[in-house]
Amino acid sequence: MSAPAPSPVPVPGRVRIQRGPALLAGVDEGPTLAAHRSRYGPLPTVPLAELDRRVSAVGLRGRGGAAFPFATKLRAAAGRRPVVVVNLSEGEPASAKDTALALGRPHLVLDGAVATARALGSRDVHLVLPADRPDAAAQVRLAVAERKDRVRFRLHTADARFVAGQARAVIELMAGRPNLPVTAWAPEAVSGHRGRPTLLSNAETWAHVGHLVLAGEATYRAHGTAEEPGTALLTITRPGFDAEVLEVPYGVRLRDVLPPFATGHPALVGGFHGAWATWETLGATRVSVPAMAAVGLPLGAGVVHVPDPGSCPVAFTSAVVDYLAGQSAGRCGPCLNGLPALAVAVRAMAQGRDAAARIDELTRLVARRGACAHPDGTVRLVRSLFGALPEEVAAHRAGACLALPSGAASRRVVAR
């Protein structure tokens, strides 16, 4: 069996973290507990009803990709000795936002989880660390060693695999089983680790909870819009450059926070399970979960990947689908058979063959039939290529590539 295809966007070796208005406001003060307490003071005890009221009032959503309301999960988890889980695994290679928080603001993340554990009456906080981001994992361990909370921190290390951070894959890891998704019949907040209610969110979500508890509702609402308060972390990636993490208020124009090199170029928004967008769409879109969804762009993992000018988006999409096909759990038909077949079809189109009909057939077969969302996210990516860049797709179906340098010879695609 051949080795899985590598990620076309490698896990960042270095991350540039920009100072932000809320979560990243103190990032240049260092990651120590002393610096954190100097900025925010001691962690207050917030009763469950008040925590529920606050997260509901600001409409706090999970930042792991699904944008699920945090209050709904909090209420579902209340009772029966719930488990609190901080997911720092960041399986998306192009994302570095949880890495940035681990490196620069780990105690804001931990405060959010500890305050929630106290409110729920939970004695344990589980931390799921990344295997392929050793600096981030090491900084979280240092942060845990600094604290004296009346909870037990239990540390786990996730596999270096795209689906390792999926909620059920994390539950499997915590139980000592392979770190892969499995079929589940109830949400984790209802029945998760050892059948107990499990409140599992990624690091950015917990940092928002921490900021809300420490700074208060008025300060939280100082950024964003009345309908969508708060901020979001974005990871901007480009081949040959360090990943950059910045914090932006909801409601700002995406074009106003993107770096100059993004101007005029299409980009992949939301990560490998995201969607392609033209510069015209990017220029007209605001950073907002509902506003972006309305134009077919998931905020998702908060990734904006800008390929090099002149690089082929069809070839890049093919490389991503190759990678995703090799990253599945392989436990259901859509992942075991559907994604590899889809990868072959997209590769054929990238090589200049007309595989559009086959791609359409496979995306219809795979969508909404997997045991987890991995097939659906892959289908979203492929379909977005057809929707956002139809001229490029049409050129490839005819054996050419619009992204290559001008000239008849260079614009032809050579089949491999």
Side-chain angles (χ1 to χ4, degrees), residues 1 22 39 94 98 142-143 152 205 219 244 296 303 315 324 338 380 387 405:
M1 181 179 294
R39 169 170 284 271
D98 286 355
L142 288 174
R152 291 172 294 192
T205 308
T219 299
E244 182 176 0
V303 173
L324 293 176
R380 180 190 301 117

Side-chain angles (χ1 to χ4, degrees), residues 7 59 183 201 209 222 334 338 404:
S7 169
T183 302
S201 289
V209 175
L404 294 178

Side-chain angles (χ1 to χ4, degrees), residues 166-183 192-193 200 331:
Q166 192 266 352
R168 281 292 160 179
V170 169
I171 299 297
E172 292 294 289
L173 172 69
M174 291 166 56
R177 295 187 288 269
N179 184 197
L180 295 170
V182 297
T183 302
H193 182 51
L200 187 157
R331 288 177 165 173

Side-chain angles (χ1 to χ4, degrees), residues 63-363:
R63 301 306 205 271
F68 195 79
F70 185 83
T72 301
K73 293 169 66 172
L74 178 67
R75 293 166 195 160
R80 295 194 301 117
R81 296 189 303 118
V83 179
V84 172
V85 183
V86 180
N87 187 4
L88 290 132
S89 60
E90 203 153 33
E92 165 77 58
S95 178
K97 61 178 186 173
D98 286 355
T99 296
L101 289 168
L103 293 173
R105 307 294 286 122
H107 290 288
L108 190 60
V109 176
L110 296 179
D111 272 359
V114 169
T116 303
R118 288 178 180 174
L120 289 169
S122 178
R123 295 172 294 182
D124 295 324
V125 172
H126 294 258
L127 307 176
V128 181
L129 306 180
D132 52 358
R133 304 173 193 242
D135 292 345
Q139 188 58 62
V140 172
R141 289 189 175 94
L142 288 174
V144 167
E146 288 186 285
R147 300 179 69 98
K148 296 187 182 339
D149 300 291
R150 291 184 179 177
V151 299
R152 291 172 294 192
F153 289 104
R154 300 185 181 274
L155 275 59
H156 314 268
T157 300
D159 295 342
R161 192 183 186 113
F162 187 86
V163 297
Q166 192 266 352
R168 281 292 160 179
V170 169
I171 299 297
E172 292 294 289
L173 172 69
M174 291 166 56
R177 295 187 288 269
N179 184 197
L180 295 170
V182 297
T183 302
W185 308 112
E188 295 75 38
V190 174
S191 179
H193 182 51
R194 297 179 180 174
R196 291 161 57 189
T198 301
L199 184 50
L200 187 157
S201 289
N202 76 332
E204 186 188 354
T205 308
W206 289 117
H208 279 286
V209 175
H211 182 64
L212 182 60
V213 167
L214 291 163
E217 185 180 336
T219 299
Y220 193 95
R221 286 184 173 278
H223 309 288
T225 66
E227 298 77 19
E228 200 172 13
T231 64
L233 298 185
L234 302 181
T235 306
I236 313 298
T237 61
R238 180 190 183 192
F241 292 79
D242 293 338
E244 182 176 0
V245 175
L246 57 155
E247 181 183 15
V248 300
Y250 280 131
V252 302
R253 295 192 306 176
L254 191 54
R255 67 181 299 164
D256 292 340
V257 298
L258 292 178
F261 63 72
T263 302
H265 302 293
L268 180 61
V269 179
F272 289 175
H273 280 173
W276 284 101
T278 63
W279 174 250
E280 290 73 23
T281 298
L282 293 171
T285 301
R286 296 185 180 273
V287 178
S288 161
V289 172
M292 293 176 71
V295 294
L297 293 181
L299 182 56
V303 173
V304 180
H305 177 73
V306 183
D308 275 339
S311 64
C312 175
V314 178
F316 180 81
T317 302
S318 175
V320 173
V321 177
D322 275 343
Y323 167 75
L324 293 176
Q327 292 295 304
S328 78
R331 288 177 165 173
C332 64
C335 276
L336 183 63
N337 301 311
L339 292 189
L342 182 59
V344 170
V346 177
R347 192 182 315 130
M349 186 172 70
Q351 294 169 352
R353 300 195 290 277
D354 187 358
R358 177 61 171 161
I359 291 171
D360 180 65
E361 176 189 26
L362 288 168
T363 57

